[in-house]
Amino acid sequence: MIPTGMNELAHERVLFDLHLEEWRRTHLGSFVLIHADDVIGFFDSLSAAFDEGTKQFGLQPFFVQQVAPRNGVNVSFFGQRILAG
């Protein structure tokens, strides 16, 4: 259940956290776009999710977060980001 009285991005973060384990099984590595109570979709890249959010919502706030593995570690190898976990 999502508490009332939260700002929009905090509300969207709670929605993300509520579904994270499920999405780890079905959308691992994807970027999820959330606006208010709606999961807009999953995207292959941050830029694709951000572009869709900007297209649909303009300057209104929206939430984008990668569905990452539990206890993931971000490392850099010659400037390339690698997600391990």
Side-chain angles (χ1 to χ4, degrees), residues 7-9 12 33-36 53 57-64:
N7 74 43
E8 195 168 327
L9 289 176
E12 292 161 345
L33 169 60
I34 301 172
H35 181 262
F57 309 112
L59 297 177
Q60 295 178 36
F62 56 85
F63 181 89
V64 174

Side-chain angles (χ1 to χ4, degrees), residues 7-79:
N7 74 43
E8 195 168 327
L9 289 176
H11 176 87
E12 292 161 345
R13 177 60 195 215
V14 169
L15 181 63
F16 175 82
D17 290 341
L18 285 172
H19 293 280
L20 182 56
E21 287 306 313
E22 169 193 346
W23 292 341
R24 281 184 172 139
R25 290 187 301 274
T26 59
H27 297 288
L28 188 64
S30 296
F31 291 83
V32 62
L33 169 60
I34 301 172
H35 181 262
D37 289 324
D38 299 319
V39 177
I40 306 305
F42 295 87
F43 300 85
D44 292 334
S45 68
L46 175 61
S47 62
F50 185 78
D51 288 348
E52 185 62 26
T54 302
K55 179 177 141 186
Q56 288 195 36
F57 309 112
L59 297 177
Q60 295 178 36
F62 56 85
F63 181 89
V64 174
Q65 179 74 41
Q66 186 174 30
V67 179
R70 180 175 299 137
N71 301 323
V73 177
N74 289 318
V75 295
S76 178
F77 183 73
F78 295 108

